[in-house]
Amino acid sequence: MSVRISAMSVLPPVRKDRVIAQLPQCFRKEAAFHTKEDFNNKVKTACQEQRTGTVGRFKISKVIVVGDLAVGKTCLINRFCKDAFDKNYKATIGVDFEMERFEVLGVPFSLQLWDTAGQERFKCIASTYYRGAQIVIIAFDVTDIASLDHVRQWLEDALKENDPTAVQLFIVGTKKDLSSPAQYSQIEQDALKLAQEITAEYWAVSSLTGENVKEFFFRVASLAFETNVLAELEKSGPRQIGGIVRINSTPSNVNASTKKKQPNCCQ
Ligand SMILES: Nc1nc2c(ncn2[C@@H]2O[C@H](COP(=O)(O)OP(=O)(O)OP(=O)(O)O)[C@@H](O)[C@H]2O)c(=O)[nH]1
Ligand SMILES: [Mg+2]
């Protein structure tokens, strides 16, 4: 960890196409983490006043991407991180990970993206890396209803290793390019219903065309950032040094992850 911190301090500036100045909007209002148009005001003020605590210095949010084999988890990450797409399937063995650095409201913020194996025989290796995730992305293939049916099982497995109240959950339908509008809208109904039931934000993407891929990860980064800054503000409360004393320090859109701080061995 200390190696990573010192390495970060000498890293070049964040890429221009990783700068987030405005809150990216949700994909579907029916299944969104929240539907606010802008970042929380307390978060914006904290960023302007550089009162974001560990966020922006050494905070790295862990994201795990899980889901059935061959639904397109690796392709999704590769489209975003490398702007590449491979039409040949190469199963992930265990896990891979990528670091993505963003700048949100002027504050550096990193996501550690863990790409896990969907194949049963590699699952037990992969699941040992689930711990400490702040964000869980469950991918399913929009042309394969069985992969949507398996989302609940993936959720259960991911939450075994994590504090369920401290996790932000996303369901992502992949391979949107392969489905006709009629087929897609049918599976979307089921996916939205499931997302509502398990309190997840729903997205649909295509790693082949790139549709919604950047928008999705920007949304993930922004919501993780917002949650982290709110948690920092709640932690420091009215005693915040160098900031304005706020009598009411409870964030207006308190969400699960600000309620309980989990021990986080992986960060
Ligand atoms: N048409 C199309 N094909 C895709 C898309 N995403 C992935 N694929 C294809 O689906 C297959 C599986 O993709 P992967 O990303 O390797 O799947 P995975 O979920 O990482 O699989 P495991 O690592 O075994 O869990 C590959 O042949 C990809 O080319 C997409 O958006 N559109
Ligand atoms: Mg893979």
Side-chain angles (χ1 to χ4, degrees):
M1 191 65 216
S2 58
V3 174
R4 192 172 290 136
I5 293 164
S6 56
M8 278 187 74
S9 60
V10 293
L11 286 174
V14 173
R15 280 168 47 178
K16 284 211 162 44
D17 62 352
R18 292 290 183 262
V19 173
I20 303 175
Q22 247 138 36
L23 180 69
Q25 295 302 289
C26 61
F27 178 66
R28 289 284 181 263
K29 285 199 160 59
E30 304 94 302
F33 186 70
H34 66 60
T35 53
K36 299 193 174 75
E37 295 209 338
D38 200 0
F39 281 105
N40 180 293
N41 277 332
K42 284 178 185 156
V43 171
K44 287 201 288 188
T45 309
C47 292
Q48 275 159 13
E49 295 172 358
Q50 300 184 337
R51 288 187 297 107
T52 55
T54 61
V55 183
R57 280 185 283 164
F58 22 77
K59 180 77 193 168
I60 297 168
S61 285
K62 179 172 177 176
V63 181
I64 56 169
V65 185
V66 300
D68 277 7
L69 73 144
V71 293
K73 300 178 292 297
T74 302
C75 286
L76 177 61
I77 291 174
N78 285 347
R79 170 57 76 197
F80 182 63
C81 300
K82 301 174 184 156
D83 200 17
F85 178 80
D86 187 351
K87 64 178 179 10
N88 300 309
Y89 172 48
K90 288 187 211 83
T92 303
I93 299 167
V95 292
D96 283 324
F97 90 90
E98 294 283 342
M99 280 287 283
E100 271 297 329
R101 298 167 58 232
F102 298 85
E103 189 185 289
V104 190
L105 297 173
V107 178
F109 183 66
S110 296
L111 291 183
Q112 200 180 40
L113 299 171
W114 289 80
D115 176 19
T116 70
Q119 278 198 26
E120 200 57 44
R121 59 191 163 139
F122 304 129
K123 229 175 118 177
C124 69
I125 319 169
S127 62
T128 61
Y129 294 87
Y130 292 174
R131 186 169 299 177
Q134 186 192 334
I135 294 128
V136 175
I137 297 173
I138 307 177
F140 74 98
D141 176 342
V142 298
T143 68
D144 175 12
I145 187 81
S147 67
L148 178 62
D149 292 340
H150 297 153
V151 164
R152 277 184 194 276
Q153 186 58 51
W154 285 107
L155 175 64
E156 198 179 301
D157 292 348
L159 292 186
K160 262 185 222 151
E161 305 293 333
N162 286 292
D163 172 359
T165 64
V167 158
Q168 278 170 307
L169 195 58
F170 292 84
I171 299 182
V172 183
T174 58
K175 310 190 189 180
K176 198 163 176 278
D177 59 283
L178 290 181
S179 110
S180 70
Q183 280 172 327
Y184 173 73
S185 71
Q186 196 148 22
I187 201 160
E188 190 184 75
Q189 294 309 311
D190 294 343
L192 284 172
K193 194 161 161 272
L194 175 64
Q196 286 162 353
E197 282 166 16
I198 63 175
T199 325
E201 177 158 313
Y202 171 72
W203 279 75
V205 299
S206 167
S207 305
L208 175 80
T209 65
E211 182 185 355
N212 293 339
V213 172
K214 188 177 174 195
E215 290 82 350
F216 168 62
F217 281 106
F218 269 38
R219 176 84 176 162
V220 170
S222 300
L223 292 178
F225 176 83
E226 188 172 61
T227 301
N228 279 316
V229 175
L230 285 171
E232 285 286 321
L233 292 175
E234 196 166 84
K235 214 164 60 184
S236 51
R239 292 189 311 277
Q240 175 68 51
I241 302 157
I244 302 156
V245 174
R246 286 165 207 283
I247 291 152
N248 179 8
S249 67
T250 312
S252 57
N253 70 338
V254 159
N255 53 55
S257 58
T258 62
K259 284 181 194 151
K260 199 166 161 192
K261 196 75 202 140
Q262 59 172 339
N264 200 339
C265 71
C266 298
Q267 292 178 19

